[in-house]
């Protein structure tokens, strides 16, 4: 029978302290960018992900979002919309909102010619 791995508390604490800034960096960047949007009064496109079963139109009405670029209902519930700072804050505080992320470009990994994508 194998004995469980025992990690001394000081080592575990050091690892957690070193990992925290790396884990929090994307959130800190997003918060700074969102703050700039709120301060400037500009509108920026965001993708809003909702809890399963939540109605996108109801959440939009309740948070003052009047127009959506896209509404998602199949694989995920949510919408994409141009938001101002007030709408952004209202969405982040709404109980049916799972995530609010700035829209951006996604780049996939290169695929070799002739591959089928099957494993």
């Amino acid at each position: 029978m194998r004995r469980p791995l025992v990690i001394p508390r000081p080592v575990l604490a050091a690892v957690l302290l070193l990992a925290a800034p790396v884990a929090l960096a994307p959130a800190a960047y997003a918060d700074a960018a969102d703050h700039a949007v709120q301060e400037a009064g500009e509108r920026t496109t965001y993708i809003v992900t909702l809890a399963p079963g939540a109605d996108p139109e109801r959440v939009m009405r309740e948070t003052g979002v009047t127009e959506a670029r896209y509404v998602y209902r199949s694989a995920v519930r949510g919408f994409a919309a141009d938001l101002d700072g007030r709408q952004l804050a209202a969405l982040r505080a709404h109980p049916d909102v799972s995530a609010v992320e700035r829209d951006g470009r996604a780049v996939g990994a290169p695929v070799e010619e002739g591959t089928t994508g099957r494993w």
Side-chain angles (χ1 to χ4, degrees), residues 2-99:
R2 295 183 98 185
R3 292 180 49 196
L5 177 64
V6 178
I7 300 173
R9 286 185 189 202
V11 173
L12 182 59
V15 168
L16 292 174
L17 285 173
L18 292 172
V22 174
L24 297 175
Y29 172 76
D31 288 344
D34 293 344
H35 183 70
V37 169
Q38 292 173 344
E39 289 291 316
E42 296 176 10
R43 298 175 68 83
T44 303
T45 305
Y46 286 86
I47 298 174
V48 180
T49 307
L50 303 178
D55 179 35
E57 279 84 10
R58 180 183 54 81
V59 172
M60 289 172 56
R61 275 193 312 275
E62 292 174 356
T63 56
V65 178
T66 56
E67 187 176 337
R69 288 176 174 254
Y70 305 99
V71 176
Y72 309 107
R73 296 180 185 282
S74 298
V76 67
R77 292 266 188 184
F79 57 91
D82 295 333
L83 306 175
D84 62 26
R86 182 186 52 77
Q87 294 164 330
L88 183 60
L91 283 164
R92 289 191 187 258
H94 197 283
D96 285 340
V97 173
S98 300

